Amino acid sequence: HAKSAGANRYLFFNDTMNKQAVKRLQVENLIRHGLKEDLFAVFYQPKMDLLSGKVVGMEALVRFITPKGGLVSPASFIPVAEETGQIVDIGTVVLRKACSDVRRWIDQGLFHGRVAVNLSAKQFMLPFLCDQIDDILQQTQLASYHLELEITEGTVMESPKLAIDTMKKLRARGIHLAMDDFGTGYSSLAYLKQFPLNTLKIDKAFIDDMNSARGRNMVDTIVTIAHNLSLSVVAEGVETLEQLEQLRKLRCEIIQGFYYSKPLSADDFAAFLHEQKKPRLSLTANGNNW
Ligand code: C2E
Ligand code: MG
Ligand code: MG
Ligand code: MG
């Protein structure tokens, strides 16, 4: 009996492994098709300054557009793209689209901040990364200070010395650098002070924990670390007004999350920027905005 159960389990295991391999191959083929047919789109999520209430920047987030117009989230293809190396080509597409969209919004007088683009470890380690970024900025006629790059602790800790060199080269161009998903990786404080960063992004997991005193203390600590290192802080995944108010109390200066806006298509983001630009009249006695 036990033997047959064991045999079944063995078969089942093989079957699952097989399914995973097939799935991976399907995703890889889909990515190749998407790159060829220009099916990768860039969505934008605004970052809001808690003091001024204004949009100070946005994060570029890749989406795969299906033939029926549906959106596929990066969680389902980025891991495969990392494995196959296709992330490098996807990353190039995202950088180019983000830079040209922002250039257009600047020309239209809608925006003058920074666009943050996520870089994968493979991309960040490319020996020609800086040249490639120079080329894209040149092609899109975007000044380097409108660009920010988000990298994770895992990316820089793979080879910290090399990472510091690359970071310095990018900073020398006026490009800003943010540490993404901060607190979830394993970078040490000793390294953190050596990395030429501008910003720490507090991972959503810590924001989700703010309903407890311990959770709020954690966020307080991260904000304090950032400020002691003269870095600005962005809270990711802010979904409620309560979280926003707590973050304001803890002196976190920038928030990003569904509370303010979900990631939007380029067209919707342009409309959002238009809306932002409209002069706001102060509240009248009857509480009507108009
Ligand atoms: P990330 O860089 O940490 O981006 C933040 C993610 O949190 C985004 O997911 C965003 O849509 C989501 N998010 C923002 N606010 C909220 C909120 O209030 N609630 C919830 N539940 N989620 C929120 P998305 O767009 O699915 O991207 C997931 C991850 O995929 C990103 O995490 C990033 O690591 C990666 N990614 C996205 N675009 C790119 C890209 O162009 N290149 C690379 N290398 N990675 C990318
Ligand atoms: Mg990010
Ligand atoms: Mg993040
Ligand atoms: Mg994340």
Side-chain angles (χ1 to χ4, degrees):
H1 207 92
K3 200 179 169 190
S4 74
N8 277 339
R9 197 154 50 227
Y10 178 72
L11 277 175
F12 175 74
F13 184 62
N14 259 340
D15 196 38
T16 306
M17 294 229 324
N18 196 27
K19 272 188 190 137
Q20 275 172 358
V22 169
K23 176 88 188 145
R24 190 180 161 285
L25 202 66
Q26 280 174 343
V27 174
E28 183 180 348
N29 286 335
L30 210 62
I31 294 172
R32 191 177 308 114
H33 172 71
L35 284 166
K36 205 168 131 229
E37 302 296 326
D38 192 24
L39 302 178
F40 289 100
V42 181
F43 274 50
Y44 298 94
Q45 188 177 35
K47 296 184 191 180
M48 186 184 70
D49 184 304
L50 273 180
L51 269 182
S52 68
K54 292 207 168 111
V55 178
V56 287
M58 70 287 248
E59 179 172 8
L61 296 157
V62 70
R63 298 288 182 267
F64 182 93
I65 312 287
T66 66
K68 284 181 183 158
L71 298 177
V72 181
S73 103
S76 63
F77 61 83
I78 293 270
V80 174
E82 288 262 6
E83 265 185 64
T84 61
Q86 291 167 309
I87 188 68
V88 174
D89 287 336
I90 296 175
T92 304
V93 170
V94 173
L95 262 172
R96 191 169 288 135
K97 289 192 179 187
C99 289
S100 83
D101 282 340
V102 166
R103 166 67 209 244
R104 194 174 60 251
W105 294 329
I106 291 168
D107 286 350
Q108 294 169 344
L110 290 172
F111 184 70
H112 49 260
R114 287 175 201 274
V115 62
V117 177
N118 292 285
L119 287 194
S120 77
K122 274 228 172 79
Q123 246 183 313
F124 186 74
M125 291 303 175
L126 288 176
F128 52 86
L129 174 72
C130 291
D131 296 332
Q132 194 203 28
I133 288 175
D134 288 344
D135 284 349
I136 292 173
L137 291 173
Q138 169 81 36
Q139 284 157 13
T140 55
Q141 289 289 295
L142 185 73
S144 52
Y145 55 79
H146 289 299
L147 183 62
E148 177 171 343
L149 299 172
E150 294 191 4
I151 48 186
T152 62
E153 292 168 85
T155 296
V156 288
M157 290 308 290
E158 251 178 52
S159 177
K161 295 252 148 53
L162 210 77
I164 291 171
D165 280 351
T166 304
M167 293 169 91
K168 282 182 178 162
K169 281 191 204 152
L170 293 165
R171 283 296 305 274
R173 288 159 164 77
I175 295 168
H176 269 203
L177 298 173
M179 180 76 89
D180 203 355
D181 306 339
F182 183 71
T184 62
Y186 62 106
S187 69
S188 69
L189 286 176
Y191 269 120
L192 192 61
K193 71 165 201 251
Q194 290 183 57
F195 294 139
L197 293 163
N198 301 93
T199 302
L200 288 189
K201 295 190 78 176
I202 308 175
D203 194 76
K204 178 177 186 298
F206 295 102
I207 308 307
D208 289 342
D209 269 359
M210 287 186 81
N211 45 18
S212 74
R214 273 172 72 94
R216 285 191 295 279
N217 284 339
M218 277 301 295
V219 173
D220 192 9
T221 302
I222 298 174
V223 172
T224 303
I225 290 172
H227 288 167
N228 283 342
L229 293 167
S230 305
L231 305 175
S232 67
V233 200
V234 178
E236 288 194 288
V238 177
E239 293 181 340
T240 68
L241 178 63
E242 200 186 349
Q243 290 170 338
L244 183 150
E245 290 306 341
Q246 283 163 348
L247 287 159
R248 194 198 298 279
K249 265 189 232 151
L250 297 179
R251 309 217 182 307
C252 171
E253 51 267 22
I254 300 166
I255 63 153
Q256 179 185 342
F258 292 176
Y259 174 76
Y260 193 47
S261 170
K262 292 199 168 181
L264 304 170
S265 69
D267 284 349
D268 288 346
F269 194 81
F272 174 88
L273 289 175
H274 264 292
E275 202 56 39
Q276 283 275 315
K277 262 199 79 179
K278 283 186 189 158
R280 309 231 166 165
L281 304 177
S282 55
L283 288 177
T284 54
N286 64 8
N288 192 326
N289 252 315
W290 310 104

